[in-house]
Amino acid sequence: QVQPVESGGGLVQAGGSLRLSCVASGGIFSTYAVGWFRQAPGKEREFLAAITTSGGITSYADSVKGRFTISRDNAKNTVYLQMDSLNSEDTAVYFCASTMGGYGLRSRNGYAYWGQGTQVTVSS
């Protein structure tokens, strides 16, 4: 099985960009679908984006459509989340998750393996 590890979070001004990375450890990441979620203080963990094993199909939450882009480079065992036009509502802990399944990718219950999270803070 794989252990996802997130990186790339930090402080950014409103209107700026960040690229998060999710790297697999202990397995072949190309055999797993991957999703990104976030959790703000006092709120439930929220689905953001998902990508299939080949990268041929992607899915996005309405809140980030047109601003966030999920992609993968299986040769590097890495999945990315490019975040543009960030605003204060994007401040949260961001999590990467993976599954060998291909269904329920917009739900937390669709994933078996989770990273530790990386903090993203957007200042005005």
Side-chain angles (χ1 to χ4, degrees):
Q1 62 182 269
V2 299
Q3 173 63 57
V5 179
E6 307 97 333
S7 63
L11 289 166
V12 63
Q13 288 277 88
S17 299
L18 285 174
R19 188 179 74 166
L20 305 183
S21 297
C22 178
V23 179
S25 178
I28 306 300
F29 219 13
S30 61
T31 64
Y32 293 81
V34 175
W36 285 97
F37 295 76
R38 69 185 179 190
Q39 188 165 21
K43 297 185 178 180
E44 296 296 317
R45 195 165 297 186
E46 173 191 15
F47 168 78
L48 298 175
I51 190 167
T52 54
T53 55
S54 68
I57 301 175
T58 58
S59 181
Y60 296 93
D62 289 342
S63 60
V64 302
K65 284 181 180 178
R67 298 191 298 122
F68 290 11
T69 303
I70 189 171
S71 63
R72 69 189 305 156
D73 185 345
N74 286 335
K76 296 182 178 180
N77 239 19
T78 302
V79 172
Y80 303 99
L81 185 68
Q82 177 67 43
M83 306 186 295
D84 299 320
S85 301
L86 289 165
N87 57 65
S88 60
E89 288 72 38
D90 296 315
T91 295
V93 177
Y94 285 68
F95 297 89
C96 176
S98 63
T99 178
M100 291 191 69
Y103 300 95
L105 299 182
R106 298 176 67 91
S107 170
R108 292 182 61 184
N109 293 332
Y111 298 89
Y113 311 107
W114 291 82
Q116 81 288 348
T118 185
Q119 177 72 46
V120 172
T121 302
V122 184
S123 61
S124 301

mmCIF file of all heavy atoms in Angstrom, residues 34-77:
data_model
loop_
_atom_site.group_PDB
_atom_site.id
_atom_site.type_symbol
_atom_site.label_atom_id
_atom_site.label_comp_id
_atom_site.label_asym_id
_atom_site.label_seq_id
_atom_site.Cartn_x
_atom_site.Cartn_y
_atom_site.Cartn_z
ATOM 1 N N VAL A 34 -6.392 9.562 -6.996
ATOM 2 C CA VAL A 34 -5.979 10.497 -5.954
ATOM 3 C C VAL A 34 -6.970 11.646 -5.854
ATOM 4 O O VAL A 34 -7.454 12.151 -6.872
ATOM 5 C CB VAL A 34 -4.563 11.040 -6.236
ATOM 6 C CG1 VAL A 34 -4.183 12.109 -5.217
ATOM 7 C CG2 VAL A 34 -3.549 9.908 -6.215
ATOM 8 N N GLY A 35 -7.246 12.068 -4.625
ATOM 9 C CA GLY A 35 -8.111 13.209 -4.383
ATOM 10 C C GLY A 35 -7.467 14.208 -3.447
ATOM 11 O O GLY A 35 -6.601 13.854 -2.638
ATOM 12 N N TRP A 36 -7.888 15.470 -3.571
ATOM 13 C CA TRP A 36 -7.481 16.540 -2.661
ATOM 14 C C TRP A 36 -8.696 17.023 -1.882
ATOM 15 O O TRP A 36 -9.777 17.220 -2.463
ATOM 16 C CB TRP A 36 -6.861 17.720 -3.412
ATOM 17 C CG TRP A 36 -5.465 17.484 -3.905
ATOM 18 C CD1 TRP A 36 -5.084 17.089 -5.143
ATOM 19 C CD2 TRP A 36 -4.263 17.667 -3.150
ATOM 20 N NE1 TRP A 36 -3.718 17.005 -5.213
ATOM 21 C CE2 TRP A 36 -3.189 17.348 -4.011
ATOM 22 C CE3 TRP A 36 -3.984 18.064 -1.840
ATOM 23 C CZ2 TRP A 36 -1.857 17.420 -3.589
ATOM 24 C CZ3 TRP A 36 -2.666 18.127 -1.432
ATOM 25 C CH2 TRP A 36 -1.623 17.810 -2.302
ATOM 26 N N PHE A 37 -8.509 17.226 -0.584
ATOM 27 C CA PHE A 37 -9.532 17.734 0.317
ATOM 28 C C PHE A 37 -8.938 18.855 1.159
ATOM 29 O O PHE A 37 -7.723 18.999 1.253
ATOM 30 C CB PHE A 37 -10.051 16.630 1.247
ATOM 31 C CG PHE A 37 -10.780 15.515 0.560
ATOM 32 C CD1 PHE A 37 -10.099 14.544 -0.151
ATOM 33 C CD2 PHE A 37 -12.165 15.431 0.627
ATOM 34 C CE1 PHE A 37 -10.770 13.515 -0.785
ATOM 35 C CE2 PHE A 37 -12.856 14.403 0.006
ATOM 36 C CZ PHE A 37 -12.152 13.452 -0.705
ATOM 37 N N ARG A 38 -9.802 19.651 1.797
ATOM 38 C CA ARG A 38 -9.319 20.659 2.741
ATOM 39 C C ARG A 38 -10.278 20.755 3.920
ATOM 40 O O ARG A 38 -11.452 20.394 3.820
ATOM 41 C CB ARG A 38 -9.160 22.026 2.080
ATOM 42 C CG ARG A 38 -10.461 22.701 1.680
ATOM 43 C CD ARG A 38 -10.182 23.992 0.925
ATOM 44 N NE ARG A 38 -11.404 24.656 0.508
ATOM 45 C CZ ARG A 38 -11.444 25.686 -0.331
ATOM 46 N NH1 ARG A 38 -10.310 26.174 -0.841
ATOM 47 N NH2 ARG A 38 -12.611 26.230 -0.653
ATOM 48 N N GLN A 39 -9.750 21.244 5.041
ATOM 49 C CA GLN A 39 -10.551 21.407 6.241
ATOM 50 C C GLN A 39 -10.170 22.719 6.918
ATOM 51 O O GLN A 39 -9.028 22.892 7.343
ATOM 52 C CB GLN A 39 -10.361 20.235 7.200
ATOM 53 C CG GLN A 39 -11.305 20.257 8.385
ATOM 54 C CD GLN A 39 -11.354 18.927 9.110
ATOM 55 O OE1 GLN A 39 -10.437 18.112 8.990
ATOM 56 N NE2 GLN A 39 -12.413 18.692 9.852
ATOM 57 N N ALA A 40 -11.132 23.627 7.008
ATOM 58 C CA ALA A 40 -10.956 24.894 7.695
ATOM 59 C C ALA A 40 -11.407 24.746 9.146
ATOM 60 O O ALA A 40 -12.178 23.839 9.476
ATOM 61 C CB ALA A 40 -11.750 25.989 6.999
ATOM 62 N N PRO A 41 -10.952 25.631 10.044
ATOM 63 C CA PRO A 41 -11.347 25.538 11.450
ATOM 64 C C PRO A 41 -12.862 25.543 11.626
ATOM 65 O O PRO A 41 -13.556 26.385 11.057
ATOM 66 C CB PRO A 41 -10.718 26.784 12.070
ATOM 67 C CG PRO A 41 -9.539 27.076 11.207
ATOM 68 C CD PRO A 41 -9.985 26.721 9.816
ATOM 69 N N GLY A 42 -13.369 24.583 12.393
ATOM 70 C CA GLY A 42 -14.785 24.495 12.672
ATOM 71 C C GLY A 42 -15.641 23.946 11.548
ATOM 72 O O GLY A 42 -16.872 23.944 11.671
ATOM 73 N N LYS A 43 -15.034 23.490 10.462
ATOM 74 C CA LYS A 43 -15.783 22.987 9.323
ATOM 75 C C LYS A 43 -15.420 21.535 9.018
ATOM 76 O O LYS A 43 -14.390 21.032 9.455
ATOM 77 C CB LYS A 43 -15.525 23.854 8.089
ATOM 78 C CG LYS A 43 -15.995 25.284 8.230
ATOM 79 C CD LYS A 43 -15.820 26.045 6.926
ATOM 80 C CE LYS A 43 -16.336 27.459 7.044
ATOM 81 N NZ LYS A 43 -16.171 28.203 5.768
ATOM 82 N N GLU A 44 -16.290 20.870 8.257
ATOM 83 C CA GLU A 44 -16.035 19.506 7.835
ATOM 84 C C GLU A 44 -15.004 19.475 6.717
ATOM 85 O O GLU A 44 -14.786 20.470 6.011
ATOM 86 C CB GLU A 44 -17.329 18.852 7.361
ATOM 87 C CG GLU A 44 -18.385 18.700 8.443
ATOM 88 C CD GLU A 44 -17.942 17.771 9.540
ATOM 89 O OE1 GLU A 44 -17.362 16.704 9.229
ATOM 90 O OE2 GLU A 44 -18.161 18.110 10.713
ATOM 91 N N ARG A 45 -14.369 18.319 6.548
ATOM 92 C CA ARG A 45 -13.417 18.158 5.467
ATOM 93 C C ARG A 45 -14.155 18.196 4.126
ATOM 94 O O ARG A 45 -15.143 17.491 3.919
ATOM 95 C CB ARG A 45 -12.648 16.848 5.627
ATOM 96 C CG ARG A 45 -11.402 16.761 4.762
ATOM 97 C CD ARG A 45 -10.495 15.620 5.215
ATOM 98 N NE ARG A 45 -10.001 15.823 6.573
ATOM 99 C CZ ARG A 45 -9.108 15.041 7.175
ATOM 100 N NH1 ARG A 45 -8.605 13.994 6.526
ATOM 101 N NH2 ARG A 45 -8.734 15.293 8.414
ATOM 102 N N GLU A 46 -13.653 19.013 3.209
ATOM 103 C CA GLU A 46 -14.338 19.342 1.967
ATOM 104 C C GLU A 46 -13.588 18.788 0.759
ATOM 105 O O GLU A 46 -12.375 18.974 0.629
ATOM 106 C CB GLU A 46 -14.460 20.872 1.853
ATOM 107 C CG GLU A 46 -14.989 21.395 0.546
ATOM 108 C CD GLU A 46 -14.821 22.898 0.409
ATOM 109 O OE1 GLU A 46 -14.039 23.490 1.193
ATOM 110 O OE2 GLU A 46 -15.469 23.489 -0.475
ATOM 111 N N PHE A 47 -14.312 18.137 -0.147
ATOM 112 C CA PHE A 47 -13.729 17.658 -1.393
ATOM 113 C C PHE A 47 -13.342 18.817 -2.296
ATOM 114 O O PHE A 47 -14.089 19.789 -2.433
ATOM 115 C CB PHE A 47 -14.717 16.753 -2.129
ATOM 116 C CG PHE A 47 -14.314 16.457 -3.544
ATOM 117 C CD1 PHE A 47 -13.338 15.516 -3.826
ATOM 118 C CD2 PHE A 47 -14.909 17.127 -4.600
ATOM 119 C CE1 PHE A 47 -12.951 15.245 -5.129
ATOM 120 C CE2 PHE A 47 -14.540 16.871 -5.904
ATOM 121 C CZ PHE A 47 -13.557 15.927 -6.168
ATOM 122 N N LEU A 48 -12.186 18.709 -2.942
ATOM 123 C CA LEU A 48 -11.711 19.737 -3.856
ATOM 124 C C LEU A 48 -11.568 19.225 -5.293
ATOM 125 O O LEU A 48 -12.082 19.835 -6.232
ATOM 126 C CB LEU A 48 -10.364 20.286 -3.396
ATOM 127 C CG LEU A 48 -10.340 20.972 -2.043
ATOM 128 C CD1 LEU A 48 -8.913 21.342 -1.689
ATOM 129 C CD2 LEU A 48 -11.235 22.194 -2.053
ATOM 130 N N ALA A 49 -10.827 18.140 -5.466
ATOM 131 C CA ALA A 49 -10.505 17.660 -6.807
ATOM 132 C C ALA A 49 -10.070 16.208 -6.748
ATOM 133 O O ALA A 49 -9.549 15.744 -5.732
ATOM 134 C CB ALA A 49 -9.395 18.511 -7.437
ATOM 135 N N ALA A 50 -10.267 15.482 -7.843
ATOM 136 C CA ALA A 50 -9.844 14.090 -7.943
ATOM 137 C C ALA A 50 -9.342 13.808 -9.351
ATOM 138 O O ALA A 50 -9.743 14.474 -10.308
ATOM 139 C CB ALA A 50 -10.988 13.142 -7.592
ATOM 140 N N ILE A 51 -8.488 12.798 -9.464
ATOM 141 C CA ILE A 51 -7.933 12.412 -10.750
ATOM 142 C C ILE A 51 -7.816 10.896 -10.801
ATOM 143 O O ILE A 51 -7.447 10.261 -9.816
ATOM 144 C CB ILE A 51 -6.571 13.105 -10.993
ATOM 145 C CG1 ILE A 51 -6.089 12.900 -12.430
ATOM 146 C CG2 ILE A 51 -5.534 12.630 -9.979
ATOM 147 C CD1 ILE A 51 -4.938 13.819 -12.807
ATOM 148 N N THR A 52 -8.129 10.311 -11.949
ATOM 149 C CA THR A 52 -8.049 8.873 -12.118
ATOM 150 C C THR A 52 -6.603 8.432 -12.318
ATOM 151 O O THR A 52 -5.691 9.254 -12.449
ATOM 152 C CB THR A 52 -8.911 8.423 -13.305
ATOM 153 O OG1 THR A 52 -8.537 9.159 -14.478
ATOM 154 C CG2 THR A 52 -10.382 8.660 -13.011
ATOM 155 N N THR A 53 -6.386 7.116 -12.357
ATOM 156 C CA THR A 53 -5.025 6.587 -12.399
ATOM 157 C C THR A 53 -4.241 7.069 -13.607
ATOM 158 O O THR A 53 -3.047 7.375 -13.498
ATOM 159 C CB THR A 53 -5.039 5.054 -12.376
ATOM 160 O OG1 THR A 53 -5.854 4.565 -13.450
ATOM 161 C CG2 THR A 53 -5.592 4.542 -11.055
ATOM 162 N N SER A 54 -4.892 7.146 -14.756
ATOM 163 C CA SER A 54 -4.219 7.576 -15.974
ATOM 164 C C SER A 54 -4.184 9.092 -16.124
ATOM 165 O O SER A 54 -3.455 9.602 -16.977
ATOM 166 C CB SER A 54 -4.903 6.973 -17.194
ATOM 167 O OG SER A 54 -6.194 7.522 -17.379
ATOM 168 N N GLY A 55 -4.968 9.814 -15.327
ATOM 169 C CA GLY A 55 -5.090 11.254 -15.471
ATOM 170 C C GLY A 55 -6.086 11.683 -16.522
ATOM 171 O O GLY A 55 -6.217 12.883 -16.783
ATOM 172 N N GLY A 56 -6.799 10.733 -17.105
ATOM 173 C CA GLY A 56 -7.711 11.053 -18.184
ATOM 174 C C GLY A 56 -9.013 11.684 -17.749
ATOM 175 O O GLY A 56 -9.678 12.328 -18.562
ATOM 176 N N ILE A 57 -9.393 11.509 -16.492
ATOM 177 C CA ILE A 57 -10.638 12.051 -15.972
ATOM 178 C C ILE A 57 -10.333 12.821 -14.694
ATOM 179 O O ILE A 57 -9.647 12.309 -13.809
ATOM 180 C CB ILE A 57 -11.666 10.944 -15.687
ATOM 181 C CG1 ILE A 57 -11.972 10.150 -16.965
ATOM 182 C CG2 ILE A 57 -12.949 11.541 -15.115
ATOM 183 C CD1 ILE A 57 -12.880 8.964 -16.742
ATOM 184 N N THR A 58 -10.844 14.043 -14.609
ATOM 185 C CA THR A 58 -10.714 14.859 -13.407
ATOM 186 C C THR A 58 -12.078 15.349 -12.970
ATOM 187 O O THR A 58 -13.010 15.444 -13.770
ATOM 188 C CB THR A 58 -9.784 16.057 -13.623
ATOM 189 O OG1 THR A 58 -10.278 16.859 -14.701
ATOM 190 C CG2 THR A 58 -8.371 15.592 -13.960
ATOM 191 N N SER A 59 -12.189 15.678 -11.680
ATOM 192 C CA SER A 59 -13.430 16.178 -11.113
ATOM 193 C C SER A 59 -13.096 17.274 -10.109
ATOM 194 O O SER A 59 -12.112 17.155 -9.369
ATOM 195 C CB SER A 59 -14.200 15.043 -10.426
ATOM 196 O OG SER A 59 -15.419 15.504 -9.883
ATOM 197 N N TYR A 60 -13.923 18.342 -10.079
ATOM 198 C CA TYR A 60 -13.673 19.482 -9.208
ATOM 199 C C TYR A 60 -14.926 19.893 -8.462
ATOM 200 O O TYR A 60 -16.044 19.808 -8.988
ATOM 201 C CB TYR A 60 -13.189 20.691 -10.010
ATOM 202 C CG TYR A 60 -11.865 20.493 -10.696
ATOM 203 C CD1 TYR A 60 -11.801 20.044 -12.005
ATOM 204 C CD2 TYR A 60 -10.675 20.757 -10.028
ATOM 205 C CE1 TYR A 60 -10.584 19.858 -12.641
ATOM 206 C CE2 TYR A 60 -9.457 20.570 -10.651
ATOM 207 C CZ TYR A 60 -9.412 20.123 -11.956
ATOM 208 O OH TYR A 60 -8.202 19.940 -12.586
ATOM 209 N N ALA A 61 -14.730 20.377 -7.236
ATOM 210 C CA ALA A 61 -15.812 21.008 -6.507
ATOM 211 C C ALA A 61 -16.133 22.361 -7.136
ATOM 212 O O ALA A 61 -15.252 23.028 -7.691
ATOM 213 C CB ALA A 61 -15.430 21.192 -5.042
ATOM 214 N N ASP A 62 -17.398 22.782 -7.026
ATOM 215 C CA ASP A 62 -17.802 24.061 -7.611
ATOM 216 C C ASP A 62 -16.998 25.231 -7.051
ATOM 217 O O ASP A 62 -16.733 26.207 -7.759
ATOM 218 C CB ASP A 62 -19.290 24.305 -7.367
ATOM 219 C CG ASP A 62 -20.178 23.390 -8.190
ATOM 220 O OD1 ASP A 62 -19.694 22.803 -9.179
ATOM 221 O OD2 ASP A 62 -21.373 23.266 -7.849
ATOM 222 N N SER A 63 -16.601 25.139 -5.794
ATOM 223 C CA SER A 63 -15.914 26.246 -5.141
ATOM 224 C C SER A 63 -14.538 26.532 -5.726
ATOM 225 O O SER A 63 -13.999 27.626 -5.513
ATOM 226 C CB SER A 63 -15.797 25.981 -3.637
ATOM 227 O OG SER A 63 -15.060 24.796 -3.395
ATOM 228 N N VAL A 64 -13.952 25.576 -6.446
ATOM 229 C CA VAL A 64 -12.603 25.762 -6.963
ATOM 230 C C VAL A 64 -12.513 25.613 -8.477
ATOM 231 O O VAL A 64 -11.418 25.751 -9.042
ATOM 232 C CB VAL A 64 -11.605 24.800 -6.291
ATOM 233 C CG1 VAL A 64 -11.609 25.006 -4.780
ATOM 234 C CG2 VAL A 64 -11.925 23.347 -6.632
ATOM 235 N N LYS A 65 -13.617 25.361 -9.155
ATOM 236 C CA LYS A 65 -13.598 25.235 -10.609
ATOM 237 C C LYS A 65 -13.069 26.514 -11.253
ATOM 238 O O LYS A 65 -13.468 27.618 -10.898
ATOM 239 C CB LYS A 65 -14.996 24.937 -11.143
ATOM 240 C CG LYS A 65 -15.459 23.512 -10.944
ATOM 241 C CD LYS A 65 -16.851 23.309 -11.526
ATOM 242 C CE LYS A 65 -17.325 21.882 -11.340
ATOM 243 N NZ LYS A 65 -18.701 21.693 -11.853
ATOM 244 N N GLY A 66 -12.161 26.355 -12.188
ATOM 245 C CA GLY A 66 -11.571 27.497 -12.874
ATOM 246 C C GLY A 66 -10.388 28.102 -12.164
ATOM 247 O O GLY A 66 -9.681 28.928 -12.760
ATOM 248 N N ARG A 67 -10.148 27.729 -10.910
ATOM 249 C CA ARG A 67 -9.017 28.263 -10.144
ATOM 250 C C ARG A 67 -7.982 27.193 -9.795
ATOM 251 O O ARG A 67 -6.789 27.487 -9.766
ATOM 252 C CB ARG A 67 -9.499 28.920 -8.850
ATOM 253 C CG ARG A 67 -10.414 30.112 -9.059
ATOM 254 C CD ARG A 67 -10.621 30.876 -7.754
ATOM 255 N NE ARG A 67 -11.264 30.047 -6.736
ATOM 256 C CZ ARG A 67 -10.737 29.792 -5.534
ATOM 257 N NH1 ARG A 67 -9.564 30.301 -5.193
ATOM 258 N NH2 ARG A 67 -11.404 29.050 -4.664
ATOM 259 N N PHE A 68 -8.438 25.973 -9.508
ATOM 260 C CA PHE A 68 -7.549 24.883 -9.115
ATOM 261 C C PHE A 68 -7.445 23.872 -10.247
ATOM 262 O O PHE A 68 -8.426 23.613 -10.951
ATOM 263 C CB PHE A 68 -8.070 24.164 -7.872
ATOM 264 C CG PHE A 68 -7.996 24.956 -6.593
ATOM 265 C CD1 PHE A 68 -7.710 26.310 -6.589
ATOM 266 C CD2 PHE A 68 -8.223 24.319 -5.383
ATOM 267 C CE1 PHE A 68 -7.648 27.023 -5.407
ATOM 268 C CE2 PHE A 68 -8.169 25.023 -4.193
ATOM 269 C CZ PHE A 68 -7.879 26.373 -4.198
ATOM 270 N N THR A 69 -6.271 23.268 -10.403
ATOM 271 C CA THR A 69 -6.043 22.254 -11.417
ATOM 272 C C THR A 69 -5.298 21.077 -10.809
ATOM 273 O O THR A 69 -4.230 21.254 -10.217
ATOM 274 C CB THR A 69 -5.228 22.807 -12.595
ATOM 275 O OG1 THR A 69 -5.892 23.944 -13.158
ATOM 276 C CG2 THR A 69 -5.069 21.739 -13.670
ATOM 277 N N ILE A 70 -5.855 19.873 -10.951
ATOM 278 C CA ILE A 70 -5.198 18.665 -10.483
ATOM 279 C C ILE A 70 -4.524 17.977 -11.673
ATOM 280 O O ILE A 70 -5.078 17.945 -12.773
ATOM 281 C CB ILE A 70 -6.189 17.719 -9.772
ATOM 282 C CG1 ILE A 70 -5.451 16.563 -9.103
ATOM 283 C CG2 ILE A 70 -7.264 17.214 -10.720
ATOM 284 C CD1 ILE A 70 -6.346 15.711 -8.198
ATOM 285 N N SER A 71 -3.336 17.450 -11.453
ATOM 286 C CA SER A 71 -2.604 16.743 -12.497
ATOM 287 C C SER A 71 -1.708 15.701 -11.847
ATOM 288 O O SER A 71 -1.522 15.698 -10.629
ATOM 289 C CB SER A 71 -1.781 17.711 -13.349
ATOM 290 O OG SER A 71 -0.795 18.361 -12.566
ATOM 291 N N ARG A 72 -1.162 14.811 -12.662
ATOM 292 C CA ARG A 72 -0.252 13.806 -12.114
ATOM 293 C C ARG A 72 0.880 13.516 -13.074
ATOM 294 O O ARG A 72 0.735 13.616 -14.299
ATOM 295 C CB ARG A 72 -1.011 12.527 -11.736
ATOM 296 C CG ARG A 72 -1.568 11.720 -12.902
ATOM 297 C CD ARG A 72 -2.489 10.607 -12.375
ATOM 298 N NE ARG A 72 -1.829 9.758 -11.398
ATOM 299 C CZ ARG A 72 -2.451 9.039 -10.462
ATOM 300 N NH1 ARG A 72 -3.785 9.071 -10.380
ATOM 301 N NH2 ARG A 72 -1.755 8.291 -9.614
ATOM 302 N N ASP A 73 2.017 13.157 -12.500
ATOM 303 C CA ASP A 73 3.189 12.726 -13.236
ATOM 304 C C ASP A 73 3.578 11.377 -12.649
ATOM 305 O O ASP A 73 4.290 11.304 -11.645
ATOM 306 C CB ASP A 73 4.325 13.741 -13.107
ATOM 307 C CG ASP A 73 5.524 13.381 -13.959
ATOM 308 O OD1 ASP A 73 5.626 12.234 -14.425
ATOM 309 O OD2 ASP A 73 6.375 14.273 -14.171
ATOM 310 N N ASN A 74 3.095 10.312 -13.263
ATOM 311 C CA ASN A 74 3.321 8.982 -12.711
ATOM 312 C C ASN A 74 4.792 8.575 -12.742
ATOM 313 O O ASN A 74 5.223 7.764 -11.920
ATOM 314 C CB ASN A 74 2.465 7.957 -13.448
ATOM 315 C CG ASN A 74 1.005 8.052 -13.077
ATOM 316 O OD1 ASN A 74 0.656 8.521 -11.990
ATOM 317 N ND2 ASN A 74 0.127 7.606 -13.964
ATOM 318 N N ALA A 75 5.572 9.124 -13.664
ATOM 319 C CA ALA A 75 6.995 8.839 -13.694
ATOM 320 C C ALA A 75 7.695 9.347 -12.441
ATOM 321 O O ALA A 75 8.722 8.797 -12.040
ATOM 322 C CB ALA A 75 7.636 9.450 -14.932
ATOM 323 N N LYS A 76 7.144 10.400 -11.821
ATOM 324 C CA LYS A 76 7.694 10.958 -10.590
ATOM 325 C C LYS A 76 6.915 10.526 -9.352
ATOM 326 O O LYS A 76 7.213 10.985 -8.251
ATOM 327 C CB LYS A 76 7.729 12.482 -10.660
ATOM 328 C CG LYS A 76 8.642 13.033 -11.737
ATOM 329 C CD LYS A 76 8.662 14.546 -11.709
ATOM 330 C CE LYS A 76 9.614 15.094 -12.752
ATOM 331 N NZ LYS A 76 9.652 16.582 -12.741
ATOM 332 N N ASN A 77 5.910 9.667 -9.536
ATOM 333 C CA ASN A 77 5.086 9.198 -8.424
ATOM 334 C C ASN A 77 4.452 10.362 -7.663
ATOM 335 O O ASN A 77 4.343 10.332 -6.434
ATOM 336 C CB ASN A 77 5.907 8.339 -7.457
ATOM 337 C CG ASN A 77 5.357 6.936 -7.301
ATOM 338 O OD1 ASN A 77 4.589 6.443 -8.132
ATOM 339 N ND2 ASN A 77 5.744 6.272 -6.219
#
